[in-house]
Amino acid sequence: MNFPYKLVATDLDGTLLRDDHTVSPRTREALAAVTAAGAAHIVVTGRAVPWTKHILDDLGYDGLAVCGQGAQVYHAGEHRLLTSLTLDRRLAGVALAKIEAEVGPLALAASRDGLDGEVLVGPGYRVQEGPLPALLVDDVAEMWTAPLNKIYIQHPELSDDALTEAARQAVGGLVDVVMAGPGVVEILPLGLSKATGLSLAARRLGLKAADTVAFGDMPNDIPMFGWARHGVAMANAHEELKAVADEVTASNEHDGIALLLENLLRTTPRL
């Protein structure tokens, strides 16, 4: 069987994962069918490796994954970190000061680098419920004592969209700011995106942007859509992502990835 893409790139939260953080049997079967047809599957997520590897293990996934908004390329089968980019902590501190000068005090969390890097959560930061490990700290100074992939910021009053826009305006060209999900606004190294991480992972497989169909749901997926040949937004996606998508499929709760992949498998001529 032939398949029109050599690479299928999927975001995790709100895309591959249902709202209960599982992958449906139908989606698992569709991904198995396209990999049997010769395509590679790469997970591309904002989560750092420590918050991703248990999901990949559960899926029986042994390929490459792009984690930490592109900062990390992880070999799931070997449980090995292949590349990792860290945030310049001095620049991040300057950027935070500039943001707080505009919007007032922020609640902070930080993702430490490495296979087992903790997520440190400062006073007032709202952690989403679930099994993901986080270490509460009383003094935010503790966040700066080891290499970091990113900083998470929250504001007591501003919406995610408003905080993201205000932060971008404040930091100029020091760092990048992305919204990765509800309550998740992140400060990243300048120029880092899912596209940069995905391009590195694809190159390791001998694949290119023109070979790629990508699925996502949030504004942090916009660079990945810009890189891939075909970008598919979920029905539950943020309007900013839908605006740049080539196509919109069903939601993560209704097997949107599987529906599109099954249709491509059905309509692709056999050689």
Side-chain angles (χ1 to χ4, degrees):
M1 180 183 293
N2 193 28
F3 187 70
Y5 301 99
K6 296 177 182 177
L7 176 57
V8 178
T10 64
D11 173 45
L12 273 184
D13 296 281
T15 303
L16 182 63
L17 298 181
R18 293 178 291 190
D19 293 345
D20 65 358
H21 304 294
T22 64
V23 180
S24 74
R26 182 177 180 182
T27 296
R28 288 175 187 250
E29 289 171 12
L31 287 167
V34 298
T35 53
H41 173 217
I42 292 182
V43 166
V44 187
T45 178
R47 297 182 186 220
V49 169
W51 279 11
T52 308
K53 56 188 179 183
H54 67 286
I55 295 171
L56 303 181
D57 290 344
D58 178 63
L59 284 171
Y61 182 97
D62 59 6
L64 300 182
V66 176
C67 302
Q69 303 295 8
Q72 300 168 314
V73 177
Y74 170 66
H75 195 304
E78 298 177 0
H79 293 98
R80 190 160 60 93
L81 198 54
L82 302 181
T83 65
S84 188
L85 179 68
T86 56
L87 177 65
D88 184 310
R89 284 170 278 170
R90 183 186 62 82
L91 280 181
V94 172
L96 282 170
K98 286 178 173 289
I99 298 168
E100 291 190 323
E102 294 296 325
V103 303
L106 299 168
L108 306 178
S111 176
R112 281 186 169 166
D113 188 37
L115 279 176
D116 300 304
E118 305 101 333
V119 172
L120 307 181
V121 176
Y125 191 91
R126 302 179 302 279
V127 181
Q128 297 180 9
E129 289 191 20
L132 301 178
L135 183 64
L136 299 177
V137 296
D138 294 325
D139 184 356
V140 294
E142 291 183 48
M143 296 183 186
W144 306 96
T145 59
L148 304 175
N149 294 125
K150 57 183 164 182
I151 298 284
Y152 301 91
I153 61 174
Q154 289 178 346
H155 191 275
E157 297 171 359
L158 293 177
S159 69
D160 298 331
D161 287 314
L163 176 58
T164 302
E165 181 58 30
R168 283 179 180 158
Q169 293 293 328
V171 299
L174 290 174
V175 293
D176 277 342
V177 181
V178 299
M179 183 176 46
V184 185
V185 178
E186 301 176 357
I187 292 176
L188 304 171
L190 188 65
L192 178 69
S193 73
K194 287 188 175 185
T196 53
L198 180 55
S199 66
L200 284 175
R203 197 176 308 151
R204 286 177 174 268
L205 301 177
L207 301 174
K208 306 183 294 294
D211 301 319
T212 306
V213 57
F215 294 84
D217 74 310
M218 277 288 161
N220 62 321
D221 295 312
I222 290 173
M224 179 168 70
F225 279 22
W227 183 83
R229 176 173 143 203
H230 196 74
V232 183
M234 313 304 287
N236 51 288
H238 192 285
E239 291 304 318
E240 284 185 26
L241 187 68
K242 287 183 179 178
V244 301
D246 298 299
E247 188 171 352
V248 178
T249 187
S251 73
N252 63 320
E253 285 289 283
H254 295 95
D255 293 306
I257 291 175
L259 283 168
L260 190 132
L261 294 180
E262 289 165 358
N263 185 55
L264 288 172
L265 286 164
R266 276 195 305 269
T267 57
T268 301
R270 294 175 183 268
L271 296 181

